[in-house]
Amino acid sequence: MPTISQNKPYRIGRSKTGLGLFATRPIKKGTKIIRYFGPILDSRKKEEDAIENKYLFELNNRWTIDGSVRKNIARYINHACKPNAESDVKPRKRKVFIRAIKNIEPGEEISYDYGTDYFKAYLKPIGCKCESCEKKRKKKRAEARAERQRLKEKAERKAKKKAEKLAKENEKENEKEQKKEKAKDAKGRTKRLNGNANGKHLSGHDPARAIRTTAAAKSVGAKSVVGANTRAGAPATLNA
């Protein structure tokens, strides 16, 4: 790891994406923090144009800085979609400086936007891990969890209402069945009572038989009276 002078306002430290550059003291907005340097490549030369690595910094259509050399401490500065620094490119001088665009506090990681081309080629395929994107992903995950919970609670409420509705329907059906059974029992009792009333008194006596028995008794009684009177010498015919 390159040695950094204690007079410099930054240090190399561990970051979410590996190594990063961190402020060691307050850096005011507009301050030139560090220079991004390395061999200058000429795109008109095939051997230089064929060089490929993720530390290439294009100055213009012709000149490119190869920042892969270890002495280029600026290469440790990571990309951020909402950075606290920016690249100040000077094509004619073939120089690039990293300049603060806001006040940077000690311990805060220094970052700048690498640009659209670099983002599409290197960061988009694996997903940007800058703080801003991490917050967006965290927010989306929280929203997704909240949505899943909302749908779960909605499904539970729906299932509960369905169960309650089914229970009420079953209860009404049971009540109907009970009413039918009661009506059926009442009808049967009424039929039995009507049948008993047509044939016998509730006490178990047959009224027709009782009438017949009474009439027979009267007839026997009348014969006895006639016989008695005949034996006494009275006329055989009784007065009506």
Side-chain angles (χ1 to χ4, degrees):
M1 186 178 297
T3 302
I4 300 175
S5 172
Q6 294 181 355
N7 296 326
K8 301 298 182 180
Y10 48 78
R11 65 174 178 84
I12 299 172
R14 183 61 57 183
S15 177
K16 292 181 179 179
T17 57
L19 295 176
L21 204 65
F22 295 81
T24 56
R25 59 173 182 261
I27 301 175
K28 292 184 179 181
K29 178 180 177 181
T31 302
K32 288 183 180 180
I33 303 172
I34 191 173
R35 179 186 170 190
Y36 193 99
F37 71 93
I40 303 298
L41 305 179
D42 187 350
S43 62
R44 294 179 180 179
K45 297 178 181 180
K46 291 183 179 181
E47 64 275 12
E48 293 184 7
D49 189 47
I51 295 175
E52 287 290 341
N53 64 63
K54 62 181 181 179
Y55 298 108
L56 298 179
F57 200 114
E58 189 176 280
L59 297 172
N60 52 35
N61 293 334
R62 180 177 179 180
W63 305 109
T64 300
I65 297 175
D66 182 0
S68 62
V69 294
R70 289 179 59 83
K71 290 183 179 180
N72 178 33
I73 298 174
R75 71 178 185 153
Y76 292 102
I77 300 177
N78 288 313
H79 163 86
C81 294
K82 291 184 178 180
N84 53 21
E86 68 178 0
S87 58
D88 184 9
V89 183
K90 300 183 182 300
R92 290 185 179 181
K93 294 182 180 181
R94 300 177 191 176
K95 291 183 179 180
V96 174
F97 291 94
I98 307 302
R99 181 169 55 88
I101 58 175
K102 60 178 66 175
N103 293 333
I104 303 174
E105 299 299 325
E108 187 177 351
E109 184 175 3
I110 301 168
S111 61
Y112 68 95
D113 190 341
Y114 283 6
T116 303
D117 293 339
Y118 187 97
F119 186 89
K120 290 181 178 179
Y122 295 100
L123 299 178
K124 189 174 181 179
I126 61 174
C128 181
K129 296 181 180 179
C130 74
E131 185 177 355
S132 176
C133 290
E134 285 290 348
K135 285 182 178 179
K136 287 181 181 179
R137 282 191 289 269
K138 186 177 181 181
K139 183 179 179 181
K140 287 183 179 180
R141 288 194 295 268
E143 290 175 349
R145 287 194 298 269
E147 180 65 12
R148 288 195 297 270
Q149 183 64 25
R150 186 186 69 82
L151 293 175
K152 181 181 178 182
E153 291 175 355
K154 183 179 179 181
E156 289 176 350
R157 290 194 299 269
K158 187 175 180 180
K160 184 178 179 181
K161 287 182 180 179
K162 186 176 180 180
E164 290 175 351
K165 183 179 180 181
L166 183 60
K168 287 181 180 180
E169 290 177 353
N170 290 336
E171 185 178 354
K172 288 181 180 180
E173 191 66 25
N174 291 334
E175 289 178 356
K176 287 182 181 179
E177 291 296 330
Q178 290 176 2
K179 287 180 180 179
K180 287 182 181 180
E181 291 295 331
K182 287 181 180 179
K184 186 177 180 180
D185 292 343
K187 186 176 181 181
R189 287 195 298 272
T190 301
K191 185 175 182 181
R192 288 194 297 273
L193 290 174
N194 290 338
N196 291 335
N198 291 333
K200 297 182 179 180
H201 284 298
L202 294 177
S203 60
H205 298 291
D206 185 349
R209 182 179 179 183
I211 293 172
R212 290 194 299 272
T213 302
T214 303
K218 287 182 179 180
S219 177
V220 171
K223 289 181 180 181
S224 298
V225 172
V226 171
N229 290 335
T230 302
R231 285 193 299 273
T237 303
L238 294 176
N239 292 328

